[in-house]
Amino acid sequence: MRPHGQGRSLLEVWPALAGLSAVFLFEMLDNSILNLALPTIGRELSASTTTLQWVTGAYSVVFGGLMLVFGALADRAGRRKVMLIGLVLLGVASLATVIVTAAWQLIAVRAVTGIAAAMTTPGSLALAFRLFDDDVLRVRATTLISTVGLVGLAVGPILGGLVLAVAPWQALLLVNVPVAALAFVGIRAGIPADDPADLHRDPIDVAGAVLGTATIVLALVAPTFFVEAGAASVLPWIAAATALLTGTGFVLREKTARHPLLDLELLARPLVSSGLALKAASGLATAGLGYLVTLHLQFGLGWGPAQAAIGMLPQVVVLIAGGALIGPLITRVGLTKAAWLSAAAVVCGLAVYTAFGAFGYGWIAVALALVAAGMRVVGVVAGTNVMRGLPPNRTTIGAALVDTSSEVTTGIGIALSGTILALAFPGALTAARESADFLRATTYAGLALTLLSAALVGFGILRGRRL
């Protein structure tokens, strides 16, 4: 087999691409399919609403909190090795679903699945980057991998609903077993073992790992508290303040540690900081707009759940078909400007929703399409730029940074939208149907998302101009 970085076409490395696509498919499908089964799980396991929230939340918090740690470990122990171990863990955790008889057991299974996801997800971008030396082929490979995941995201819930009609809810999580097996075989056969020269042997910064993990976990939990308990409650503010304290401690630790978990000088590189800011903006916008539009269609326009699901189709269609835009756009303007333009499209989509969303669904559809198109391109290009800006022995923690920035801002986007809606429309949402006050509240929330996303995009573009 030709050494890594020497592939001349996607076809040459198809086993590796099949395996990496399966990893991304798992990431896209997992929680979205599980959400379908939550009512059934609640009935069969006698789980409360709060318990059901932790069924999905345990996965997200563990996944987001451990990505940096496993990214750093993979850059030391080997990206392929950590990926393969994570896939075995994923298969075992998914198989354990068949013996679940209580809600706490399912939460534990979901937490272990989050560990497996933290081991596999960052490595998928790093390993895809290794397959080629040419940036155009790297982008094409990443586009293919992400398209498989997005198709699964669109089709998965539909198939999941059909499965639930004829099979127990455990079947939805058992789907991860063949996905993990396919990924294991493809990566084991298609990607050679890591070259020791591409790894580094610095010891793991344990204190930095603890502070970093605590910061990310609190940053993910605090938005949930804001949405559930409201801004008037003290709990979300304590979580946010603690996240700020641990985050400050993490930065101070990394500045003074002899072998830091995350070399902060890497973040000062223009390609890295620019790519992370643009990726964060797209995560914030996509999650926040999706949350607002789902409520807007049902409570603002009076649509039923099925109609609202159909109303989100512009986003789904553009996310899947938008992969065709990436290659021509990069060929025409280059990687850096493609990232800028796509991020600007995200902000424009939010601005359209804020200014015109109250005037009818047509404007909402335009906003969904613009944000989805921008997110589709920036999701590939920004991640590639981050990888280009890092030394070879730091690519996995770089990929973990990309995923972490998106994961955290996704939570922030939903929390920001939910908190503003709660403040501007303090009544129960069931009383908000076709209310002018509710539509005004969505405008305020859209404006906040637009301004914050614009600030991130502006920072990303300014940093990128320093190249």
Coordinates of all heavy atoms in Angstrom, one line a residue, residues 137-236:
L137 N -8.1 17.2 -3.2 CA -8.5 15.9 -2.9 C -8.9 15.7 -1.4 O -9.9 15.0 -1.1 CB -7.4 14.9 -3.2 CG -7.1 14.6 -4.7 CD1 -5.9 13.7 -4.8 CD2 -8.3 14.0 -5.3
R138 N -8.3 16.4 -0.5 CA -8.7 16.4 0.9 C -10.1 16.9 1.0 O -10.9 16.4 1.8 CB -7.7 17.3 1.7 CG -6.4 16.6 1.9 CD -5.4 17.6 2.5 NE -4.1 16.9 2.9 CZ -3.0 17.6 3.3 NH1 -3.0 18.9 3.2 NH2 -2.0 16.9 3.6
V139 N -10.4 18.0 0.4 CA -11.7 18.6 0.4 C -12.8 17.7 -0.2 O -13.9 17.5 0.3 CB -11.8 20.0 -0.3 CG1 -13.2 20.5 -0.4 CG2 -11.0 21.0 0.5
R140 N -12.4 17.1 -1.3 CA -13.3 16.1 -2.0 C -13.6 14.9 -1.1 O -14.8 14.5 -1.0 CB -12.8 15.6 -3.3 CG -12.8 16.7 -4.4 CD -12.2 16.1 -5.7 NE -12.9 15.0 -6.2 CZ -12.4 14.1 -7.1 NH1 -11.2 14.4 -7.7 NH2 -13.1 13.1 -7.5
A141 N -12.6 14.4 -0.4 CA -12.8 13.3 0.5 C -13.6 13.7 1.7 O -14.6 13.0 2.1 CB -11.4 12.8 1.0
T142 N -13.4 14.8 2.3 CA -14.2 15.3 3.4 C -15.6 15.6 3.0 O -16.6 15.3 3.8 CB -13.5 16.6 4.0 OG1 -12.2 16.4 4.3 CG2 -14.2 17.0 5.3
T143 N -15.8 16.1 1.8 CA -17.2 16.3 1.3 C -17.9 15.0 1.1 O -19.1 14.9 1.5 CB -17.1 17.1 -0.1 OG1 -16.4 18.3 0.1 CG2 -18.5 17.3 -0.6
L144 N -17.3 14.0 0.6 CA -17.9 12.7 0.4 C -18.3 12.1 1.8 O -19.4 11.6 2.0 CB -16.9 11.8 -0.3 CG -17.4 10.3 -0.4 CD1 -18.7 10.2 -1.2 CD2 -16.3 9.4 -1.0
I145 N -17.4 12.2 2.7 CA -17.6 11.6 4.1 C -18.8 12.3 4.7 O -19.7 11.7 5.3 CB -16.4 11.7 4.9 CG1 -15.3 10.8 4.4 CG2 -16.7 11.4 6.4 CD1 -13.9 11.1 5.0
S146 N -18.8 13.7 4.6 CA -19.9 14.4 5.3 C -21.2 14.2 4.6 O -22.3 14.2 5.2 CB -19.5 15.9 5.3 OG -19.4 16.4 4.0
T147 N -21.2 14.0 3.2 CA -22.4 13.8 2.5 C -23.1 12.5 2.9 O -24.3 12.5 3.1 CB -22.2 13.8 1.0 OG1 -21.6 15.0 0.6 CG2 -23.5 13.5 0.2
V148 N -22.3 11.5 3.1 CA -22.9 10.2 3.6 C -23.6 10.4 4.9 O -24.7 9.9 5.2 CB -21.8 9.1 3.8 CG1 -22.3 7.9 4.5 CG2 -21.2 8.8 2.4
G149 N -22.9 11.1 5.8 CA -23.6 11.4 7.1 C -24.8 12.2 7.0 O -25.8 11.9 7.7
L150 N -24.8 13.2 6.2 CA -26.0 14.1 6.0 C -27.2 13.3 5.4 O -28.3 13.6 5.7 CB -25.6 15.3 5.3 CG -24.7 16.3 6.0 CD1 -24.2 17.4 5.1 CD2 -25.4 16.9 7.2
V151 N -26.9 12.5 4.4 CA -27.9 11.6 3.8 C -28.5 10.7 4.9 O -29.8 10.6 5.0 CB -27.4 10.8 2.7 CG1 -28.4 9.8 2.2 CG2 -27.0 11.7 1.5
G152 N -27.7 10.2 5.8 CA -28.2 9.4 6.9 C -29.0 10.2 7.8 O -30.0 9.7 8.3
L153 N -28.6 11.4 8.1 CA -29.3 12.3 9.0 C -30.7 12.6 8.4 O -31.7 12.6 9.2 CB -28.6 13.6 9.2 CG -29.2 14.6 10.1 CD1 -29.3 14.1 11.5 CD2 -28.4 15.9 10.1
A154 N -30.8 12.7 7.1 CA -32.1 13.0 6.5 C -33.0 11.8 6.5 O -34.2 11.9 6.7 CB -31.9 13.6 5.1
V155 N -32.4 10.6 6.1 CA -33.2 9.4 5.9 C -33.4 8.6 7.2 O -34.4 8.0 7.4 CB -32.5 8.5 4.8 CG1 -33.3 7.2 4.7 CG2 -32.5 9.3 3.5
G156 N -32.4 8.8 8.1 CA -32.4 8.0 9.3 C -33.7 8.0 10.2 O -34.3 7.0 10.5
P157 N -34.1 9.3 10.5 CA -35.4 9.3 11.3 C -36.6 8.7 10.7 O -37.4 8.1 11.3 CB -35.6 10.8 11.5 CG -34.2 11.4 11.4 CD -33.5 10.6 10.3
I158 N -36.7 8.8 9.3 CA -37.8 8.2 8.6 C -37.7 6.6 8.8 O -38.7 6.0 9.1 CB -37.8 8.6 7.1 CG1 -37.9 10.1 7.0 CG2 -38.9 7.8 6.4 CD1 -37.8 10.6 5.6
L159 N -36.5 6.1 8.5 CA -36.4 4.6 8.6 C -36.5 4.2 10.1 O -37.1 3.2 10.4 CB -35.0 4.2 8.1 CG -34.7 4.4 6.6 CD1 -33.3 4.0 6.3 CD2 -35.7 3.7 5.8
G160 N -36.0 5.1 11.0 CA -36.2 4.8 12.4 C -37.7 4.7 12.8 O -38.0 3.8 13.6
G161 N -38.5 5.6 12.3 CA -39.9 5.5 12.6 C -40.5 4.2 12.1 O -41.4 3.6 12.8
L162 N -40.1 3.8 10.9 CA -40.6 2.5 10.4 C -40.2 1.3 11.2 O -41.0 0.4 11.5 CB -40.2 2.3 8.9 CG -40.7 3.4 7.9 CD1 -40.0 3.1 6.6 CD2 -42.2 3.3 7.8
V163 N -38.9 1.4 11.7 CA -38.4 0.3 12.5 C -39.2 0.2 13.8 O -39.6 -0.9 14.3 CB -36.9 0.5 12.8 CG1 -36.4 -0.5 13.9 CG2 -36.1 0.3 11.5
L164 N -39.5 1.3 14.4 CA -40.2 1.4 15.7 C -41.6 0.8 15.6 O -42.2 0.3 16.6 CB -40.3 2.8 16.2 CG -39.1 3.3 17.1 CD1 -39.4 4.7 17.5 CD2 -38.9 2.4 18.3
A165 N -42.2 0.8 14.4 CA -43.5 0.3 14.2 C -43.5 -1.2 14.2 O -44.6 -1.8 14.5 CB -44.1 0.7 12.8
V166 N -42.4 -1.9 14.0 CA -42.4 -3.4 14.0 C -41.3 -4.0 14.9 O -41.3 -5.2 15.0 CB -42.1 -3.8 12.5 CG1 -43.2 -3.4 11.6 CG2 -40.7 -3.3 12.0
A167 N -40.5 -3.2 15.6 CA -39.4 -3.7 16.4 C -39.3 -2.9 17.7 O -39.8 -1.8 17.8 CB -38.1 -3.7 15.6
P168 N -38.7 -3.5 18.7 CA -38.5 -2.8 20.0 C -37.5 -1.6 19.8 O -36.7 -1.6 18.8 CB -37.9 -3.8 20.9 CG -37.3 -4.9 20.0 CD -38.2 -4.9 18.8
W169 N -37.5 -0.7 20.7 CA -36.7 0.5 20.6 C -35.2 0.2 20.6 O -34.4 0.9 20.0 CB -37.0 1.5 21.7 CG -36.7 1.0 23.1 CD1 -37.6 0.5 23.9 CD2 -35.5 1.1 23.8 NE1 -37.0 0.1 25.1 CE2 -35.7 0.5 25.1 CE3 -34.2 1.6 23.5 CZ2 -34.7 0.4 26.0 CZ3 -33.2 1.5 24.5 CH2 -33.5 0.9 25.7
Q170 N -34.8 -0.9 21.2 CA -33.4 -1.3 21.3 C -32.8 -1.5 19.9 O -31.6 -1.3 19.7 CB -33.2 -2.6 22.1 CG -33.4 -2.4 23.6 CD -34.9 -2.7 24.0 OE1 -35.8 -2.6 23.2 NE2 -35.1 -3.1 25.2
A171 N -33.6 -1.8 18.9 CA -33.2 -2.0 17.5 C -32.5 -0.8 17.0 O -31.6 -0.9 16.2 CB -34.3 -2.5 16.7
L172 N -33.0 0.4 17.4 CA -32.4 1.6 16.9 C -31.0 1.8 17.3 O -30.2 2.3 16.5 CB -33.3 2.8 17.3 CG -34.7 2.9 16.8 CD1 -35.4 4.1 17.3 CD2 -34.8 2.7 15.3
L173 N -30.6 1.4 18.5 CA -29.2 1.5 18.9 C -28.4 0.4 18.5 O -27.1 0.5 18.3 CB -29.2 1.6 20.5 CG -29.8 2.9 21.1 CD1 -29.7 2.9 22.6 CD2 -29.2 4.1 20.4
L174 N -29.0 -0.8 18.2 CA -28.2 -1.9 17.7 C -27.7 -1.7 16.3 O -26.8 -2.3 15.8 CB -29.1 -3.2 17.7 CG -29.3 -3.8 19.1 CD1 -30.3 -5.0 19.0 CD2 -28.0 -4.3 19.7
V175 N -28.3 -0.7 15.6 CA -27.8 -0.3 14.2 C -26.4 0.1 14.3 O -25.6 0.0 13.3 CB -28.7 0.9 13.7 CG1 -28.1 1.5 12.4 CG2 -30.1 0.3 13.4
N176 N -25.9 0.7 15.4 CA -24.6 1.1 15.6 C -23.6 -0.1 15.5 O -22.4 0.2 15.1 CB -24.3 1.8 16.9 CG -24.9 3.2 17.0 OD1 -25.1 3.8 16.0 ND2 -25.3 3.6 18.2
V177 N -24.0 -1.3 15.7 CA -23.1 -2.4 15.7 C -22.5 -2.7 14.3 O -21.3 -2.7 14.1 CB -23.7 -3.7 16.3 CG1 -22.8 -4.9 16.2 CG2 -24.1 -3.4 17.8
P178 N -23.4 -2.9 13.3 CA -22.8 -3.0 11.9 C -22.1 -1.8 11.4 O -21.2 -1.9 10.6 CB -24.1 -3.4 11.1 CG -25.2 -2.9 11.9 CD -24.9 -3.1 13.3
V179 N -22.6 -0.6 11.8 CA -21.9 0.6 11.4 C -20.5 0.6 11.9 O -19.5 0.9 11.2 CB -22.7 1.9 11.9 CG1 -21.8 3.1 11.6 CG2 -24.0 2.0 11.1
A180 N -20.3 0.3 13.2 CA -19.0 0.2 13.9 C -18.1 -0.9 13.2 O -16.9 -0.7 13.0 CB -19.1 -0.1 15.4
A181 N -18.7 -2.0 12.9 CA -18.0 -3.1 12.2 C -17.5 -2.7 10.8 O -16.3 -2.9 10.5 CB -18.9 -4.3 12.1
L182 N -18.3 -2.0 10.1 CA -17.9 -1.5 8.7 C -16.8 -0.5 8.9 O -15.8 -0.6 8.1 CB -19.1 -0.9 8.0 CG -18.8 -0.1 6.7 CD1 -18.3 -1.1 5.7 CD2 -20.1 0.6 6.2
A183 N -16.9 0.4 9.8 CA -15.9 1.4 10.0 C -14.6 0.7 10.4 O -13.5 1.1 9.9 CB -16.3 2.4 11.1
F184 N -14.6 -0.2 11.3 CA -13.4 -0.9 11.8 C -12.7 -1.6 10.6 O -11.5 -1.5 10.5 CB -13.8 -2.0 12.9 CG -12.6 -2.6 13.5 CD1 -12.1 -2.1 14.7 CD2 -12.0 -3.7 12.9 CE1 -11.0 -2.8 15.3 CE2 -10.9 -4.3 13.5 CZ -10.4 -3.8 14.7
V185 N -13.5 -2.4 9.8 CA -12.9 -3.1 8.7 C -12.3 -2.1 7.7 O -11.1 -2.3 7.2 CB -13.9 -4.0 8.0 CG1 -13.3 -4.6 6.7 CG2 -14.3 -5.1 9.0
G186 N -13.0 -1.1 7.3 CA -12.5 -0.1 6.3 C -11.3 0.6 6.8 O -10.3 0.7 6.0
I187 N -11.2 1.1 8.0 CA -10.1 1.8 8.5 C -8.9 0.9 8.7 O -7.7 1.2 8.4 CB -10.4 2.5 9.8 CG1 -11.4 3.7 9.5 CG2 -9.2 3.1 10.5 CD1 -12.1 4.3 10.7
R188 N -9.2 -0.3 9.3 CA -8.1 -1.3 9.5 C -7.4 -1.7 8.2 O -6.2 -1.8 8.1 CB -8.7 -2.6 10.2 CG -7.7 -3.7 10.5 CD -7.0 -3.4 11.8 NE -6.2 -4.5 12.3 CZ -5.1 -5.0 11.8 NH1 -4.5 -4.4 10.7 NH2 -4.5 -6.0 12.3
A189 N -8.2 -1.9 7.1 CA -7.7 -2.3 5.8 C -7.2 -1.1 5.0 O -6.2 -1.3 4.2 CB -8.8 -3.0 5.0
G190 N -7.8 0.0 5.1 CA -7.5 1.1 4.2 C -6.5 2.2 4.7 O -6.0 3.0 3.9
I191 N -6.2 2.2 6.0 CA -5.3 3.2 6.5 C -4.1 2.5 7.2 O -4.4 1.7 8.2 CB -6.0 4.2 7.5 CG1 -7.2 4.9 6.8 CG2 -5.1 5.2 8.1 CD1 -8.0 5.8 7.6
P192 N -2.9 2.8 6.8 CA -1.8 2.2 7.5 C -1.6 2.7 8.9 O -2.1 3.8 9.3 CB -0.6 2.6 6.6 CG -1.0 3.8 5.9 CD -2.5 3.7 5.7
A193 N -0.9 2.0 9.7 CA -0.6 2.4 11.1 C 0.2 3.7 11.1 O 0.9 4.0 10.1 CB 0.3 1.3 11.8
D194 N 0.0 4.5 12.1 CA 0.7 5.8 12.2 C 2.2 5.6 12.2 O 2.8 4.7 12.7 CB 0.3 6.5 13.5 CG -1.2 6.9 13.6 OD1 -2.0 6.0 13.9 OD2 -1.4 8.0 13.3
D195 N 2.8 6.6 11.4 CA 4.3 6.7 11.4 C 4.7 7.3 12.7 O 4.3 8.4 13.1 CB 4.7 7.6 10.2 CG 6.2 7.6 10.0 OD1 6.9 7.2 11.0 OD2 6.6 8.1 9.0
P196 N 5.6 6.6 13.5 CA 6.1 7.2 14.7 C 6.6 8.6 14.6 O 6.6 9.4 15.5 CB 7.2 6.2 15.2 CG 6.8 4.9 14.5 CD 6.2 5.3 13.2
A197 N 7.1 8.9 13.4 CA 7.7 10.3 13.2 C 6.6 11.3 13.2 O 6.8 12.5 13.4 CB 8.4 10.3 11.9
D198 N 5.3 10.9 13.0 CA 4.2 11.9 13.0 C 3.5 12.0 14.3 O 2.5 12.7 14.5 CB 3.1 11.4 11.9 CG 3.6 11.7 10.5 OD1 4.5 12.5 10.3 OD2 3.1 11.0 9.6
L199 N 4.0 11.3 15.3 CA 3.5 11.3 16.7 C 4.5 12.1 17.6 O 5.6 12.4 17.2 CB 3.3 9.9 17.2 CG 2.4 9.0 16.4 CD1 2.4 7.6 17.0 CD2 1.0 9.6 16.3
H200 N 4.0 12.5 18.7 CA 5.0 13.1 19.7 C 4.8 12.4 21.0 O 3.8 11.8 21.3 CB 4.8 14.6 19.8 CG 3.4 15.0 20.4 ND1 3.3 15.3 21.7 CD2 2.3 15.2 19.8 CE1 2.0 15.6 21.9 NE2 1.4 15.6 20.8
R201 N 5.8 12.5 21.9 CA 5.9 11.7 23.1 C 5.8 12.6 24.4 O 6.2 12.1 25.4 CB 7.3 10.9 23.1 CG 7.5 10.0 21.9 CD 6.4 9.0 21.8 NE 6.5 8.1 20.6 CZ 5.5 7.3 20.3 NH1 4.4 7.1 21.0 NH2 5.7 6.5 19.2
D202 N 5.3 13.8 24.3 CA 5.2 14.6 25.4 C 4.2 13.9 26.4 O 3.2 13.4 25.9 CB 4.7 16.0 25.1 CG 5.7 16.8 24.3 OD1 6.8 16.4 24.2 OD2 5.3 17.8 23.7
P203 N 4.4 14.0 27.7 CA 3.4 13.4 28.6 C 2.1 14.2 28.6 O 2.1 15.4 28.3 CB 4.1 13.5 30.0 CG 5.1 14.6 29.8 CD 5.6 14.5 28.4
I204 N 1.0 13.5 28.9 CA -0.3 14.1 29.0 C -0.3 15.1 30.2 O 0.1 14.8 31.3 CB -1.4 13.1 29.1 CG1 -1.5 12.3 27.8 CG2 -2.7 13.7 29.5 CD1 -2.2 13.0 26.7
D205 N -0.8 16.3 29.9 CA -1.0 17.3 31.0 C -2.3 16.9 31.7 O -3.4 17.3 31.3 CB -1.1 18.7 30.3 CG -1.4 19.8 31.3 OD1 -1.2 19.5 32.5 OD2 -1.8 20.8 30.9
V206 N -2.2 16.2 32.8 CA -3.4 15.7 33.5 C -4.2 16.9 34.1 O -5.4 16.9 34.0 CB -3.0 14.8 34.7 CG1 -4.2 14.3 35.5 CG2 -2.3 13.5 34.1
A207 N -3.5 17.9 34.7 CA -4.2 19.0 35.3 C -5.0 19.8 34.2 O -6.1 20.2 34.4 CB -3.3 19.9 36.1
G208 N -4.3 20.0 33.1 CA -4.9 20.7 32.0 C -6.1 19.9 31.4 O -7.1 20.5 31.1
A209 N -6.0 18.5 31.4 CA -7.1 17.7 30.9 C -8.3 17.8 31.8 O -9.4 17.9 31.3 CB -6.6 16.2 30.8
V210 N -8.1 17.8 33.1 CA -9.2 17.9 34.1 C -9.9 19.3 33.9 O -11.1 19.4 33.8 CB -8.7 17.7 35.5 CG1 -9.8 18.1 36.5 CG2 -8.2 16.3 35.7
L211 N -9.1 20.4 33.9 CA -9.6 21.7 33.8 C -10.3 21.9 32.4 O -11.4 22.5 32.3 CB -8.5 22.8 33.9 CG -8.0 23.0 35.3 CD1 -6.8 23.8 35.3 CD2 -9.1 23.6 36.2
G212 N -9.7 21.4 31.3 CA -10.3 21.5 30.0 C -11.6 20.8 29.9 O -12.6 21.3 29.4
T213 N -11.6 19.5 30.4 CA -12.9 18.7 30.4 C -14.0 19.4 31.2 O -15.1 19.4 30.8 CB -12.6 17.3 30.9 OG1 -11.6 16.7 30.0 CG2 -13.8 16.4 30.9
A214 N -13.6 19.8 32.4 CA -14.6 20.5 33.3 C -15.2 21.7 32.6 O -16.4 22.0 32.7 CB -14.0 20.9 34.6
T215 N -14.3 22.5 31.9 CA -14.8 23.7 31.3 C -15.8 23.4 30.2 O -16.9 24.0 30.1 CB -13.6 24.5 30.7 OG1 -12.7 24.9 31.7 CG2 -14.1 25.7 29.9
I216 N -15.5 22.4 29.3 CA -16.4 22.0 28.2 C -17.7 21.4 28.7 O -18.8 21.7 28.2 CB -15.7 21.1 27.3 CG1 -14.4 21.7 26.6 CG2 -16.6 20.6 26.2 CD1 -13.5 20.8 25.9
V217 N -17.6 20.5 29.7 CA -18.8 19.9 30.3 C -19.7 21.0 30.9 O -20.9 21.0 30.6 CB -18.4 18.9 31.4 CG1 -19.7 18.5 32.2 CG2 -17.8 17.7 30.8
L218 N -19.2 21.9 31.6 CA -20.0 23.0 32.2 C -20.5 23.9 31.1 O -21.7 24.4 31.2 CB -19.2 23.8 33.2 CG -18.9 23.1 34.5 CD1 -17.8 23.8 35.3 CD2 -20.1 23.0 35.4
A219 N -19.7 24.2 30.1 CA -20.2 25.0 29.0 C -21.4 24.3 28.2 O -22.2 25.0 27.7 CB -19.1 25.3 28.0
L220 N -21.4 23.0 28.2 CA -22.5 22.3 27.6 C -23.7 22.1 28.5 O -24.8 22.2 28.0 CB -22.0 20.9 27.1 CG -21.0 20.8 26.0 CD1 -20.4 19.4 25.9 CD2 -21.6 21.3 24.7
V221 N -23.5 22.0 29.8 CA -24.6 21.8 30.7 C -25.3 23.2 31.0 O -26.5 23.2 31.1 CB -24.1 21.2 32.0 CG1 -25.1 21.2 33.1 CG2 -23.6 19.8 31.8
A222 N -24.5 24.3 31.1 CA -25.1 25.5 31.5 C -26.2 26.0 30.5 O -27.3 26.4 31.0 CB -24.0 26.6 31.5
P223 N -26.0 25.9 29.2 CA -27.1 26.3 28.3 C -28.4 25.5 28.5 O -29.5 26.0 28.4 CB -26.5 26.0 26.9 CG -25.1 26.1 27.1 CD -24.8 25.6 28.4
T224 N -28.3 24.2 28.8 CA -29.4 23.4 29.1 C -30.1 23.9 30.4 O -31.4 24.0 30.4 CB -29.0 21.9 29.3 OG1 -28.3 21.4 28.2 CG2 -30.2 21.0 29.6
F225 N -29.4 24.3 31.4 CA -30.0 24.8 32.6 C -30.7 26.1 32.3 O -31.8 26.4 32.9 CB -28.9 25.1 33.7 CG -28.3 23.8 34.3 CD1 -27.1 23.8 34.9 CD2 -29.0 22.6 34.2 CE1 -26.6 22.7 35.5 CE2 -28.5 21.5 34.7 CZ -27.3 21.5 35.4
F226 N -30.1 27.0 31.4 CA -30.8 28.2 31.1 C -32.1 28.0 30.4 O -33.1 28.7 30.7 CB -29.9 29.1 30.1 CG -28.9 30.0 30.9 CD1 -27.5 29.7 30.9 CD2 -29.3 31.1 31.6 CE1 -26.6 30.5 31.5 CE2 -28.5 31.9 32.2 CZ -27.1 31.6 32.2
V227 N -32.2 27.0 29.5 CA -33.4 26.7 28.8 C -34.4 26.1 29.8 O -35.6 26.4 29.8 CB -33.2 25.7 27.6 CG1 -34.5 25.3 27.0 CG2 -32.3 26.4 26.6
E228 N -34.0 25.1 30.6 CA -34.9 24.4 31.5 C -35.3 25.2 32.7 O -36.5 25.3 33.1 CB -34.3 23.1 31.9 CG -34.1 22.1 30.8 CD -33.4 20.8 31.2 OE1 -33.0 20.8 32.4 OE2 -33.2 19.9 30.4
A229 N -34.3 25.8 33.4 CA -34.6 26.5 34.7 C -35.0 28.0 34.4 O -35.6 28.6 35.3 CB -33.5 26.4 35.6
G230 N -34.5 28.6 33.3 CA -34.7 30.0 33.0 C -33.6 30.9 33.6 O -32.9 30.5 34.5
A231 N -33.5 32.1 33.0 CA -32.5 33.0 33.5 C -32.7 33.5 34.9 O -31.8 34.0 35.5 CB -32.5 34.2 32.5
A232 N -33.9 33.4 35.4 CA -34.2 33.8 36.8 C -33.6 32.9 37.8 O -33.5 33.2 39.0 CB -35.7 34.0 37.0
S233 N -33.3 31.6 37.4 CA -32.8 30.6 38.4 C -31.3 30.9 38.6 O -30.6 31.3 37.7 CB -33.0 29.2 37.8 OG -32.4 28.3 38.6
V234 N -30.8 30.5 39.8 CA -29.4 30.7 40.1 C -28.5 29.6 39.6 O -27.3 29.8 39.3 CB -29.2 30.8 41.7 CG1 -29.5 29.4 42.3 CG2 -27.9 31.3 42.0
L235 N -29.1 28.4 39.3 CA -28.3 27.3 38.9 C -27.6 27.5 37.6 O -26.4 27.2 37.5 CB -29.2 26.0 38.8 CG -28.6 24.7 38.4 CD1 -27.5 24.3 39.4 CD2 -29.6 23.6 38.2
P236 N -28.2 28.0 36.5 CA -27.5 28.2 35.3 C -26.4 29.2 35.4 O -25.3 29.1 34.8 CB -28.5 28.7 34.3 CG -29.7 29.1 35.1 CD -29.7 28.3 36.3

